[in-house]
Amino acid sequence: MKVAISGPQVLNGTVTVSGAKNSATRVLAAALLSSGNVTLRNFPLLLEDVKAKISFMRMMGAEIKEDFANSELEITAATISTDSIKDFDLPIRTTYLLAAGALIHKNSVKIPYPGGCKIGSRGYDLHMMVWKQLGCKVEECADYILVEGELKGGVIDFPISTVGGTENALMCASVAKGETLIRNAYITPEVNDLILFLREMGADIVQEGSSHIRVQGAGGLLRGASFNIMPDRIEALTWIILAAVTGGTVLVQNVPFETMEVPLIHLRDAGLDLFRNSNTVMVSPNCIGPHGIQPFELATGTHPGVISDMQSFYAFLGLFANGRSTVFDYRYPERVAYALELKKFAPNAINAQSGKIIVHGPNKLQGANAESTDLRGSMAQIMAAICAKGESQVNDVELALRGYNNLPEKLASLGVIAQWSE
């Protein structure tokens, strides 16, 4: 899919942040651990990652009803199995989270190899470690990972902090027999949302400090639950930055300020003075001081800092700053391919190397033909196309649609004229 945009365009209007992709896709998989009905509210049903996972879960035997009008989802998982599945080509990263639901039903599961964005090394060895530490045998087959065995409590020591590994361990431990201790866990706001959901289903989870989690396994399925997905902090940041640089007036609703304090501090230091209340922010030309957007330097890291998924939006912001800005990313140092595409809109502005992106501003962006390289990079290129003078085209924008719920309609509601096509 591609999008054609003639700019520059100014955003005006109101936009509501959807439920968080990085919570919704995890909680959706965790619903397979329930013996009853699960209702999920504020659910981003139009995400491509969500559609792919729902499709696979239906093949596993889950009954899923979507209510698009109310952004709700109902899941019933009476019988779950991967025995009859032939196609294991699933274009999402979090395939491994489907293991716990199938294992608790029949002690065997075939898991698709993780797909998703190519942003450097993001292996699945820690997930294999989780399954092995909790009593299972793991075999890497041609088309899938075979996991067999009865989940039993154990000790999981992560050698590095890992979001996906922590989520996998939490889900498996919640239904395992016995106690599990998870050390060096990485508890992001989205992981905390998963913990809240598992507790709502009856899981016994206790956080000990900031990186240890103790789980008393239920030894079987959990109960039904009703749960509200947290708002997406990355989407909220996207709208704030895009509105600020276009010079329009945009009211951004459903903003999870408590999960994005440090990213907002960096925006403030860059010269953005935002008008906000408890969950809404008004972005207008008055938010930028008389000296314009100021150059900045930041390093991505773990929450509560600027996470790697936010990197591309600060690089984009640097295009409009009055001087040289630098963004470091030591966790995913190869996450720079998008920057080379973003450079097409400002040919002399960006110098990208492993772990470091230097942006020289300010720039008047020019129309370009760009290729999407990853989810967040694709969105940054769409943002650049909106701001650029002349005709632009961004290809493979299905990557952006993996993480932005109802994106074409939301942009249109803010006055953006764009042509989306296959």
Side-chain angles (χ1 to χ4, degrees):
M1 179 180 285
K2 59 189 177 183
V3 61
I5 298 173
S6 179
Q9 300 188 36
V10 178
L11 274 64
N12 285 289
T14 299
V15 64
T16 301
V17 176
S18 297
K21 165 190 176 283
N22 290 338
S23 171
T25 51
R26 279 66 167 178
V27 169
L28 177 60
L32 295 179
L33 306 179
S34 171
S35 61
N37 295 329
V38 171
T39 300
L40 302 178
R41 301 182 303 276
N42 193 36
F43 199 90
L45 286 165
L46 296 175
L47 295 181
E48 292 301 316
D49 275 17
V50 165
K51 294 177 185 177
K53 184 166 281 187
I54 286 176
S55 176
F56 196 85
M57 287 172 60
R58 282 174 170 152
M59 288 192 288
M60 295 174 72
E63 296 182 10
I64 302 175
K65 297 179 181 178
E66 297 134 304
D67 181 350
F68 291 96
N70 296 304
S71 298
E72 291 187 1
L73 198 62
E74 290 187 8
I75 305 108
T76 304
T79 304
I80 297 298
S81 172
T82 57
D83 289 349
S84 62
I85 297 177
K86 304 299 182 184
D87 183 4
F88 290 91
D89 184 14
L90 196 60
I92 59 175
R93 176 67 192 164
T94 58
T95 56
Y96 43 78
L97 297 183
L98 298 168
L103 285 171
I104 199 60
H105 276 86
K106 62 172 301 180
N107 296 342
S108 176
V109 62
K110 299 173 183 176
I111 293 298
Y113 284 98
C117 299
K118 310 301 182 186
I119 58 171
S121 176
R122 304 210 308 181
Y124 49 87
D125 56 315
L126 296 181
H127 302 290
M128 296 172 62
M129 183 193 79
V130 167
W131 296 321
K132 291 176 180 178
Q133 289 298 108
L134 297 184
C136 295
K137 295 180 180 180
V138 182
E139 180 182 354
E140 297 177 78
C141 302
D143 298 323
Y144 53 81
I145 304 170
L146 178 63
V147 187
E148 296 179 299
E150 183 180 17
L151 289 168
K152 299 177 182 178
V155 177
I156 301 172
D157 281 299
F158 287 119
I160 60 171
S161 60
T162 163
V163 172
T166 299
E167 293 164 339
N168 193 10
L170 280 165
M171 290 174 56
C172 290
S174 293
V175 292
K177 290 183 178 179
E179 181 180 89
T180 298
L181 178 61
I182 307 170
R183 296 176 177 149
N184 198 24
Y186 185 8
I187 306 174
T188 65
E190 293 81 9
V191 172
N192 187 64
D193 220 31
L194 175 62
I195 291 173
L196 294 175
F197 175 63
L198 291 169
R199 285 174 176 164
E200 191 71 19
M201 291 198 297
D204 185 353
I205 302 172
V206 177
Q207 294 177 227
E208 300 177 346
S210 60
S211 61
H212 284 199
I213 304 174
R214 192 177 299 274
V215 184
Q216 295 290 341
L221 292 168
L222 305 173
R223 63 174 179 251
S226 180
F227 188 75
N228 196 66
I229 302 295
M230 64 172 284
D232 196 313
R233 54 183 172 145
I234 304 173
E235 182 189 350
L237 183 73
T238 303
W239 294 124
I240 291 170
I241 290 177
L242 180 57
V245 300
T246 66
T249 299
V250 176
L251 182 68
V252 186
Q253 299 177 327
N254 203 28
V255 179
F257 289 114
E258 68 281 1
T259 70
M260 48 191 301
E261 291 181 2
V262 174
L264 290 175
I265 288 173
H266 282 287
L267 292 188
R268 183 195 66 194
D269 291 346
L272 271 64
D273 186 10
L274 302 174
F275 303 97
R276 50 180 277 193
N277 61 17
S278 60
N279 65 355
T280 301
V281 59
M282 175 69 77
V283 186
S284 73
N286 294 330
C287 292
I288 299 177
H291 303 294
I293 297 174
Q294 298 302 299
F296 53 86
E297 182 173 296
L298 63 85
T300 66
T302 58
H303 177 77
V306 176
I307 61 173
S308 184
D309 276 353
M310 297 175 174
Q311 179 212 115
S312 59
F313 308 120
Y314 286 94
F316 169 78
L317 180 64
L319 292 170
F320 302 88
N322 294 318
R324 167 177 157 162
S325 299
T326 307
V327 179
F328 298 93
D329 191 334
Y330 303 117
R331 182 66 183 272
Y332 296 114
E334 301 309 314
R335 194 174 199 160
V336 295
Y338 81 87
L340 301 178
E341 295 298 314
L342 197 60
K343 186 177 180 179
K344 293 178 178 179
F345 296 92
N348 299 314
I350 298 177
N351 179 20
Q353 54 187 280
S354 179
K356 181 180 180 181
I357 297 175
I358 299 173
V359 185
H360 298 275
N363 297 274
K364 291 189 179 297
L365 306 189
Q366 62 185 41
N369 190 321
E371 299 293 331
S372 299
T373 59
D374 64 275
L375 191 166
R376 306 302 170 184
S378 179
M379 187 64 205
Q381 288 148 27
I382 293 171
M383 295 161 72
I386 292 170
C387 298
K389 182 178 181 180
E391 301 292 330
S392 294
Q393 179 173 298
V394 182
N395 301 312
D396 298 326
V397 290
E398 59 271 16
L399 286 172
L401 300 179
R402 287 183 48 223
Y404 288 87
N405 190 55
N406 212 22
L407 178 60
E409 289 75 11
K410 286 185 177 181
L411 285 172
S413 73
L414 294 173
V416 174
I417 299 172
Q419 287 75 47
W420 305 77
S421 61
E422 296 295 334

